[in-house]
Amino acid sequence: MSGNRPPLTVLLAAPRGFCAGVDRAIQIVERALERFGAPVYVRHEIVHNRHVVERLEALGAVFVEELDQCPDDRPVVFSAHGVPKQVPEEAARRNLIYVDATCPLVSKVHVEAQRLHANGREIVLIGHAGHPEVVGTMGQLPDGAIALIETVEDAMQFAPQDASRLAFVTQTTLSVDDTSAIVAALQARFPQIEAPHKEDICYATTNRQSAVKALAPRSDIVFVIGAPNSSNSVRLVEVAKRAGAPRSQLISSAEDVDWTSIGAIGTVGITAGASAPEDLVEGLIAAFRERYDVKQEDIRVTDEDVIFKLPRVVA
């Protein structure tokens, strides 16, 4: 022990933190501020992370819930989660300068849903009610064209108009395991249901869940840095518990850790949701180093090299 601090192994998940879609969305707001000056309006939190939002607010971004809160003479950015079709239509009608920061992988789901609808398919969306991404995807099509399924129970009770014309798409930030159970239930009931050409759950969600599965069985407790309204972060907590971590907790930063309740631990797992900045991870590790003699080990399941191009208006 160094200076009487108990030994602790920190298992650090990799990949973790920012994904390419989040990176791109934040850059879009920063570039829009450089190009147009402050203020730049942003419809909804650009990504689900308070620390990111506050940093951008300090640079001159103004976050609003709806387009009618934006003046006509300032640019507006749409969040990474995607928006219903009527939002860009309304922006165009008002001649607003707007930049769409929707993650390209979410846009892929939008295009898929539109293609299926055009081909006369009845569409099921697997996702969480009220999540901005789900609102955006359902808003690509006329009301009633997409049915939302949240659970296996929903899948068992769903009654399509025509089982032979059924197709499904999914939210990009779901639990891989939960989604496969829902898909299996749908496929068992409706063998002809059409699946997406390529998995809708995004590469970053899948990779972060894989990394957590690798470290959870060895951890006494797993800390997931992320926001309570961040779907992919909340899923990481659930995945860690299922994969064998006795305790798993969502925190927004090191300040949320209740050191008195941690008890005797030998190994801690750390990861971060796709919208959590790396400095929050470094802050948590530093907080552990103050209290423990830390030995750090990276648990890397894959390398990510995805980069999404910026829209022309801010490139």
Short mmCIF file of all heavy atoms in Angstrom, two decimals, residues 252-296:
data_model
loop_
_atom_site.label_atom_id
_atom_site.label_comp_id
_atom_site.label_asym_id
_atom_site.label_seq_id
_atom_site.Cartn_x
_atom_site.Cartn_y
_atom_site.Cartn_z
N SER A 252 -23.17 11.37 -13.07
CA SER A 252 -22.88 12.37 -14.11
C SER A 252 -21.43 12.82 -14.03
O SER A 252 -20.86 13.29 -15.00
CB SER A 252 -23.84 13.55 -14.03
OG SER A 252 -23.69 14.19 -12.80
N SER A 253 -20.81 12.67 -12.85
CA SER A 253 -19.37 12.97 -12.71
C SER A 253 -18.90 12.41 -11.36
O SER A 253 -19.70 11.86 -10.59
CB SER A 253 -19.12 14.48 -12.74
OG SER A 253 -19.61 15.08 -11.55
N ALA A 254 -17.61 12.57 -11.07
CA ALA A 254 -17.04 12.07 -9.81
C ALA A 254 -17.75 12.67 -8.59
O ALA A 254 -17.80 12.05 -7.53
CB ALA A 254 -15.54 12.40 -9.75
N GLU A 255 -18.33 13.86 -8.78
CA GLU A 255 -19.01 14.51 -7.65
C GLU A 255 -20.21 13.72 -7.15
O GLU A 255 -20.66 13.91 -6.01
CB GLU A 255 -19.47 15.93 -8.07
CG GLU A 255 -18.31 16.90 -8.21
CD GLU A 255 -18.70 18.17 -8.97
OE1 GLU A 255 -19.91 18.45 -9.05
OE2 GLU A 255 -17.79 18.85 -9.48
N ASP A 256 -20.74 12.84 -7.98
CA ASP A 256 -21.92 12.05 -7.59
C ASP A 256 -21.57 10.81 -6.76
O ASP A 256 -22.47 10.14 -6.27
CB ASP A 256 -22.68 11.57 -8.84
CG ASP A 256 -23.36 12.69 -9.57
OD1 ASP A 256 -23.41 13.81 -9.01
OD2 ASP A 256 -23.86 12.47 -10.69
N VAL A 257 -20.29 10.48 -6.67
CA VAL A 257 -19.92 9.24 -5.97
C VAL A 257 -20.11 9.41 -4.47
O VAL A 257 -19.60 10.35 -3.86
CB VAL A 257 -18.45 8.84 -6.28
CG1 VAL A 257 -18.08 7.57 -5.50
CG2 VAL A 257 -18.25 8.63 -7.77
N ASP A 258 -20.85 8.48 -3.87
CA ASP A 258 -21.02 8.47 -2.41
C ASP A 258 -19.93 7.56 -1.84
O ASP A 258 -20.10 6.34 -1.75
CB ASP A 258 -22.42 7.95 -2.06
CG ASP A 258 -22.64 7.89 -0.56
OD1 ASP A 258 -21.73 8.28 0.20
OD2 ASP A 258 -23.72 7.44 -0.13
N TRP A 259 -18.81 8.17 -1.47
CA TRP A 259 -17.63 7.39 -1.06
C TRP A 259 -17.91 6.57 0.21
O TRP A 259 -17.32 5.52 0.40
CB TRP A 259 -16.42 8.31 -0.86
CG TRP A 259 -16.06 9.01 -2.15
CD1 TRP A 259 -16.39 10.29 -2.50
CD2 TRP A 259 -15.37 8.45 -3.28
NE1 TRP A 259 -15.94 10.56 -3.78
CE2 TRP A 259 -15.30 9.46 -4.28
CE3 TRP A 259 -14.79 7.20 -3.54
CZ2 TRP A 259 -14.69 9.25 -5.51
CZ3 TRP A 259 -14.17 7.01 -4.77
CH2 TRP A 259 -14.13 8.03 -5.73
N THR A 260 -18.82 7.08 1.05
CA THR A 260 -19.09 6.37 2.32
C THR A 260 -19.81 5.05 2.08
O THR A 260 -19.70 4.13 2.87
CB THR A 260 -19.97 7.25 3.25
OG1 THR A 260 -21.15 7.63 2.54
CG2 THR A 260 -19.23 8.50 3.69
N SER A 261 -20.55 4.96 0.96
CA SER A 261 -21.35 3.75 0.74
C SER A 261 -20.64 2.71 -0.14
O SER A 261 -21.18 1.63 -0.37
CB SER A 261 -22.70 4.11 0.11
OG SER A 261 -22.51 4.46 -1.24
N ILE A 262 -19.45 3.04 -0.64
CA ILE A 262 -18.77 2.11 -1.54
C ILE A 262 -18.34 0.83 -0.81
O ILE A 262 -18.44 -0.27 -1.34
CB ILE A 262 -17.54 2.78 -2.22
CG1 ILE A 262 -18.04 3.70 -3.34
CG2 ILE A 262 -16.60 1.74 -2.80
CD1 ILE A 262 -16.94 4.33 -4.16
N GLY A 263 -17.88 0.98 0.43
CA GLY A 263 -17.45 -0.20 1.19
C GLY A 263 -16.12 -0.74 0.68
O GLY A 263 -15.41 -0.07 -0.07
N ALA A 264 -15.81 -1.96 1.08
CA ALA A 264 -14.54 -2.57 0.69
C ALA A 264 -14.64 -3.10 -0.74
O ALA A 264 -15.45 -3.98 -1.03
CB ALA A 264 -14.20 -3.71 1.65
N ILE A 265 -13.84 -2.52 -1.63
CA ILE A 265 -13.82 -3.00 -3.02
C ILE A 265 -12.38 -3.25 -3.45
O ILE A 265 -11.45 -2.59 -2.97
CB ILE A 265 -14.47 -1.98 -3.99
CG1 ILE A 265 -13.87 -0.57 -3.80
CG2 ILE A 265 -15.98 -1.94 -3.82
CD1 ILE A 265 -14.28 0.43 -4.88
N GLY A 266 -12.22 -4.20 -4.35
CA GLY A 266 -10.89 -4.50 -4.88
C GLY A 266 -10.76 -4.09 -6.34
O GLY A 266 -9.68 -3.78 -6.83
N THR A 267 -11.91 -4.11 -7.03
CA THR A 267 -11.90 -3.80 -8.47
C THR A 267 -13.11 -2.96 -8.83
O THR A 267 -14.24 -3.29 -8.44
CB THR A 267 -11.93 -5.11 -9.30
OG1 THR A 267 -10.87 -5.95 -8.88
CG2 THR A 267 -11.75 -4.83 -10.78
N VAL A 268 -12.88 -1.89 -9.58
CA VAL A 268 -13.98 -1.05 -10.03
C VAL A 268 -13.93 -0.94 -11.56
O VAL A 268 -12.86 -0.84 -12.15
CB VAL A 268 -13.94 0.35 -9.36
CG1 VAL A 268 -12.69 1.12 -9.75
CG2 VAL A 268 -15.17 1.17 -9.70
N GLY A 269 -15.09 -1.05 -12.19
CA GLY A 269 -15.18 -0.88 -13.65
C GLY A 269 -15.67 0.53 -13.96
O GLY A 269 -16.55 1.04 -13.27
N ILE A 270 -15.10 1.14 -14.98
CA ILE A 270 -15.51 2.50 -15.36
C ILE A 270 -15.75 2.56 -16.86
O ILE A 270 -14.94 2.07 -17.66
CB ILE A 270 -14.42 3.54 -14.98
CG1 ILE A 270 -14.26 3.63 -13.45
CG2 ILE A 270 -14.78 4.93 -15.55
CD1 ILE A 270 -13.14 4.56 -13.00
N THR A 271 -16.89 3.16 -17.24
CA THR A 271 -17.14 3.44 -18.64
C THR A 271 -17.92 4.76 -18.73
O THR A 271 -18.24 5.36 -17.72
CB THR A 271 -17.91 2.30 -19.34
OG1 THR A 271 -17.94 2.57 -20.75
CG2 THR A 271 -19.35 2.18 -18.82
N ALA A 272 -18.19 5.17 -19.97
CA ALA A 272 -18.95 6.42 -20.17
C ALA A 272 -19.84 6.25 -21.38
O ALA A 272 -19.46 5.63 -22.37
CB ALA A 272 -17.98 7.59 -20.39
N GLY A 273 -21.06 6.80 -21.28
CA GLY A 273 -21.99 6.77 -22.40
C GLY A 273 -21.48 7.59 -23.57
O GLY A 273 -20.52 8.36 -23.45
N ALA A 274 -22.15 7.45 -24.71
CA ALA A 274 -21.66 8.03 -25.97
C ALA A 274 -21.69 9.56 -25.99
O ALA A 274 -21.10 10.17 -26.87
CB ALA A 274 -22.46 7.48 -27.14
N SER A 275 -22.39 10.18 -25.02
CA SER A 275 -22.39 11.65 -25.01
C SER A 275 -21.61 12.24 -23.83
O SER A 275 -21.71 13.42 -23.55
CB SER A 275 -23.83 12.18 -25.04
OG SER A 275 -24.69 11.38 -24.26
N ALA A 276 -20.84 11.39 -23.13
CA ALA A 276 -20.07 11.86 -21.97
C ALA A 276 -18.62 12.16 -22.36
O ALA A 276 -17.94 11.31 -22.93
CB ALA A 276 -20.10 10.81 -20.86
N PRO A 277 -18.14 13.40 -22.05
CA PRO A 277 -16.76 13.76 -22.42
C PRO A 277 -15.71 13.01 -21.60
O PRO A 277 -15.95 12.66 -20.44
CB PRO A 277 -16.69 15.26 -22.15
CG PRO A 277 -17.94 15.65 -21.46
CD PRO A 277 -18.89 14.50 -21.46
N GLU A 278 -14.55 12.80 -22.20
CA GLU A 278 -13.48 12.02 -21.57
C GLU A 278 -12.94 12.68 -20.30
O GLU A 278 -12.47 12.00 -19.40
CB GLU A 278 -12.35 11.80 -22.60
CG GLU A 278 -11.18 10.96 -22.11
CD GLU A 278 -11.54 9.52 -21.75
OE1 GLU A 278 -12.65 9.05 -22.11
OE2 GLU A 278 -10.71 8.86 -21.09
N ASP A 279 -13.02 14.02 -20.21
CA ASP A 279 -12.47 14.65 -18.99
C ASP A 279 -13.25 14.24 -17.73
O ASP A 279 -12.71 14.24 -16.63
CB ASP A 279 -12.39 16.18 -19.12
CG ASP A 279 -13.73 16.84 -19.39
OD1 ASP A 279 -14.72 16.12 -19.64
OD2 ASP A 279 -13.80 18.08 -19.37
N LEU A 280 -14.52 13.82 -17.90
CA LEU A 280 -15.28 13.32 -16.75
C LEU A 280 -14.75 11.96 -16.30
O LEU A 280 -14.73 11.65 -15.10
CB LEU A 280 -16.77 13.22 -17.10
CG LEU A 280 -17.48 14.53 -17.47
CD1 LEU A 280 -18.93 14.27 -17.84
CD2 LEU A 280 -17.40 15.54 -16.33
N VAL A 281 -14.32 11.15 -17.26
CA VAL A 281 -13.70 9.85 -16.94
C VAL A 281 -12.39 10.09 -16.19
O VAL A 281 -12.13 9.47 -15.15
CB VAL A 281 -13.44 9.03 -18.23
CG1 VAL A 281 -12.69 7.74 -17.91
CG2 VAL A 281 -14.75 8.72 -18.94
N GLU A 282 -11.58 11.01 -16.73
CA GLU A 282 -10.29 11.32 -16.08
C GLU A 282 -10.52 11.85 -14.66
O GLU A 282 -9.76 11.51 -13.74
CB GLU A 282 -9.52 12.34 -16.92
CG GLU A 282 -8.97 11.72 -18.21
CD GLU A 282 -8.58 12.77 -19.26
OE1 GLU A 282 -8.60 13.98 -18.94
OE2 GLU A 282 -8.27 12.36 -20.39
N GLY A 283 -11.56 12.65 -14.48
CA GLY A 283 -11.89 13.19 -13.15
C GLY A 283 -12.25 12.09 -12.17
O GLY A 283 -11.86 12.13 -10.98
N LEU A 284 -12.98 11.08 -12.65
CA LEU A 284 -13.38 9.96 -11.77
C LEU A 284 -12.15 9.13 -11.38
O LEU A 284 -11.98 8.77 -10.21
CB LEU A 284 -14.42 9.09 -12.47
CG LEU A 284 -14.95 7.90 -11.66
CD1 LEU A 284 -15.58 8.34 -10.34
CD2 LEU A 284 -15.95 7.09 -12.48
N ILE A 285 -11.28 8.86 -12.34
CA ILE A 285 -10.06 8.09 -12.04
C ILE A 285 -9.19 8.86 -11.05
O ILE A 285 -8.65 8.28 -10.09
CB ILE A 285 -9.28 7.76 -13.34
CG1 ILE A 285 -10.12 6.82 -14.22
CG2 ILE A 285 -7.93 7.11 -13.03
CD1 ILE A 285 -9.58 6.65 -15.63
N ALA A 286 -9.08 10.17 -11.25
CA ALA A 286 -8.29 11.01 -10.32
C ALA A 286 -8.87 10.94 -8.91
O ALA A 286 -8.12 10.87 -7.92
CB ALA A 286 -8.26 12.45 -10.83
N ALA A 287 -10.20 10.94 -8.81
CA ALA A 287 -10.85 10.86 -7.49
C ALA A 287 -10.53 9.53 -6.81
O ALA A 287 -10.33 9.47 -5.59
CB ALA A 287 -12.35 11.05 -7.64
N PHE A 288 -10.49 8.46 -7.59
CA PHE A 288 -10.10 7.15 -7.03
C PHE A 288 -8.63 7.15 -6.60
O PHE A 288 -8.27 6.59 -5.57
CB PHE A 288 -10.38 6.02 -8.03
CG PHE A 288 -11.79 5.49 -7.96
CD1 PHE A 288 -12.70 5.77 -8.97
CD2 PHE A 288 -12.20 4.73 -6.87
CE1 PHE A 288 -14.01 5.30 -8.89
CE2 PHE A 288 -13.51 4.24 -6.79
CZ PHE A 288 -14.41 4.54 -7.80
N ARG A 289 -7.78 7.81 -7.40
CA ARG A 289 -6.34 7.84 -7.07
C ARG A 289 -6.09 8.58 -5.76
O ARG A 289 -5.12 8.28 -5.05
CB ARG A 289 -5.54 8.50 -8.21
CG ARG A 289 -5.41 7.62 -9.43
CD ARG A 289 -4.37 8.16 -10.41
NE ARG A 289 -4.39 7.42 -11.67
CZ ARG A 289 -3.81 6.24 -11.86
NH1 ARG A 289 -3.16 5.64 -10.86
NH2 ARG A 289 -3.88 5.64 -13.03
N GLU A 290 -6.93 9.56 -5.45
CA GLU A 290 -6.77 10.29 -4.18
C GLU A 290 -7.04 9.38 -2.97
O GLU A 290 -6.52 9.61 -1.88
CB GLU A 290 -7.75 11.48 -4.12
CG GLU A 290 -7.33 12.65 -4.97
CD GLU A 290 -8.45 13.68 -5.10
OE1 GLU A 290 -9.40 13.64 -4.27
OE2 GLU A 290 -8.38 14.52 -6.02
N ARG A 291 -7.87 8.37 -3.18
CA ARG A 291 -8.32 7.54 -2.06
C ARG A 291 -7.74 6.13 -2.06
O ARG A 291 -7.78 5.44 -1.05
CB ARG A 291 -9.85 7.44 -2.10
CG ARG A 291 -10.54 8.78 -1.86
CD ARG A 291 -11.98 8.75 -2.35
NE ARG A 291 -12.68 10.00 -2.01
CZ ARG A 291 -12.67 11.09 -2.77
NH1 ARG A 291 -12.01 11.09 -3.91
NH2 ARG A 291 -13.33 12.17 -2.38
N TYR A 292 -7.25 5.68 -3.22
CA TYR A 292 -6.76 4.30 -3.36
C TYR A 292 -5.41 4.29 -4.06
O TYR A 292 -5.05 5.24 -4.76
CB TYR A 292 -7.74 3.46 -4.19
CG TYR A 292 -9.11 3.28 -3.57
CD1 TYR A 292 -10.13 4.21 -3.82
CD2 TYR A 292 -9.41 2.18 -2.76
CE1 TYR A 292 -11.39 4.06 -3.27
CE2 TYR A 292 -10.67 2.01 -2.21
CZ TYR A 292 -11.67 2.95 -2.46
OH TYR A 292 -12.91 2.79 -1.91
N ASP A 293 -4.72 3.20 -3.88
CA ASP A 293 -3.50 2.95 -4.65
C ASP A 293 -3.94 2.23 -5.93
O ASP A 293 -4.16 1.02 -5.93
CB ASP A 293 -2.54 2.08 -3.81
CG ASP A 293 -1.23 1.84 -4.53
OD1 ASP A 293 -0.94 2.59 -5.49
OD2 ASP A 293 -0.51 0.90 -4.15
N VAL A 294 -4.09 3.00 -7.01
CA VAL A 294 -4.78 2.51 -8.21
C VAL A 294 -3.84 1.84 -9.20
O VAL A 294 -2.77 2.38 -9.53
CB VAL A 294 -5.53 3.68 -8.91
CG1 VAL A 294 -5.99 3.27 -10.31
CG2 VAL A 294 -6.72 4.13 -8.07
N LYS A 295 -4.24 0.67 -9.65
CA LYS A 295 -3.60 0.01 -10.79
C LYS A 295 -4.64 0.00 -11.91
O LYS A 295 -5.74 -0.52 -11.73
CB LYS A 295 -3.18 -1.41 -10.40
CG LYS A 295 -2.47 -2.18 -11.50
CD LYS A 295 -1.75 -3.39 -10.92
CE LYS A 295 -2.44 -4.65 -11.05
NZ LYS A 295 -3.48 -5.37 -11.14
N GLN A 296 -4.32 0.62 -13.02
CA GLN A 296 -5.31 0.77 -14.10
C GLN A 296 -5.09 -0.26 -15.19
O GLN A 296 -3.97 -0.54 -15.59
CB GLN A 296 -5.19 2.17 -14.69
CG GLN A 296 -6.30 2.51 -15.67
CD GLN A 296 -6.19 3.94 -16.16
OE1 GLN A 296 -5.99 4.86 -15.37
NE2 GLN A 296 -6.32 4.14 -17.46
#
